[in-house]
Amino acid sequence: MIPVALHAANPGPMTGAGNWTWLIPGRVPTLIDAGVGMPAHLDALASALGGATLAQVLVTHGHSDHAAGAPAIAARMPSARFLKCLWPGRDQRWDVPWVPIGDDDQIEAGDTVVAAVHTAGHAPDHLCFWHAESRSLFGGDLAIEDTTVWIPSNHGGDLQAYLRSLERVIALNPSRVFPAHGPIIENPTALLSSYLAHRQKRERQVIDALRSGDRTADEVVARIYSRLGDEIRARAVETVIAHLRKLELDGLVRRCDKAWHIMTNG
Ligand SMILES: [Zn+2]
């Protein structure tokens, strides 16, 4: 299967060069991710459809750069349906009738079928879409070439779930990932394995920082990251909190008020 890359025309501080959305042409024309509703994106979509009617949009998760374009697509292409894993409290930001989908749902797309793979971690509702025949994965924000993925621990991110999701996708042994950001990932197993190694290294650093007497995420960030600008620093704090919460779930640290303490010498 060869999907058509359609840029969402939304470069910015949070999205870098902007998002890719992917059109699977065929009997059930299907768009993966909605973009943000930029006219240039909608024009490119209409042109790529070449007169065919868009049947549906599969949304990988409820972050606005993936979901916010749904109402604009609905206005221009009224027969399209919008499918995603529900995120209560979030999805109603975008006024379309969301059709709920979940793990292992088989969804007709183009002239073939893709399977939803629940891959929580970056967001609680995150789905990838797996095309078994070509071993291709529509990856959403699971992986981005040349960088790591942010786990927003105060906004639905969950590092433990993310690591499980990485392991699950590695087990699928994908040959290629069509991501929402950056270039097509041609060697996904290497990238996903490097993410696991990166998180293990960070975890080690967080444990060592607590052993050295740090008690708050801010203190840990000051120790293990070199000088950071304010915005990146705020993200680093959320990343460290994600690690601390994972270590708490693992039974290795506990939280007392705002201070984190190490539980073992392991
Ligand atoms: Zn996202």
Side-chain angles (χ1 to χ4, degrees), residues 34-181:
V36 300
M38 297 300 284
H41 182 223
L42 297 181
D43 290 346
L45 174 58
S47 145
L49 283 163
T53 302
L54 183 68
Q56 61 192 0
V57 182
L58 309 181
V59 171
T60 58
H61 63 295
H63 288 164
S64 38
D65 53 326
H66 304 260
I73 294 173
R76 184 140 162 197
M77 301 173 183
S79 49
R81 301 189 314 148
F82 295 86
L83 297 80
K84 77 186 288 298
C85 176
L86 297 186
W87 182 350
R90 175 118 193 157
D91 297 326
Q92 48 270 45
R93 289 181 188 198
W94 302 293
D95 190 18
V96 296
W98 294 109
V99 178
I101 49 175
D103 192 41
D104 211 25
D105 282 351
Q106 309 290 312
I107 302 156
E108 278 191 71
D111 297 315
T112 183
V113 172
V114 294
V117 185
H118 189 215
T119 37
H122 169 72
D125 59 338
H126 195 283
L127 295 176
C128 294
F129 298 100
W130 172 238
H131 184 239
E133 217 175 287
S134 64
R135 301 209 344 270
S136 302
L137 186 81
F138 294 93
D141 281 355
L142 182 80
I144 306 170
E145 193 77 86
D146 296 327
T147 185
T148 55
V149 170
W150 186 38
I151 306 301
S153 55
N154 292 328
H155 302 93
D158 179 334
L159 182 60
Q160 200 182 44
Y162 181 64
L163 298 177
R164 274 200 305 268
S165 296
L166 291 176
E167 280 166 1
R168 188 165 171 208
V169 169
I170 289 170
L172 291 173
N173 191 22
S175 62
R176 151 182 299 197
V177 172
F178 300 107
H181 302 274

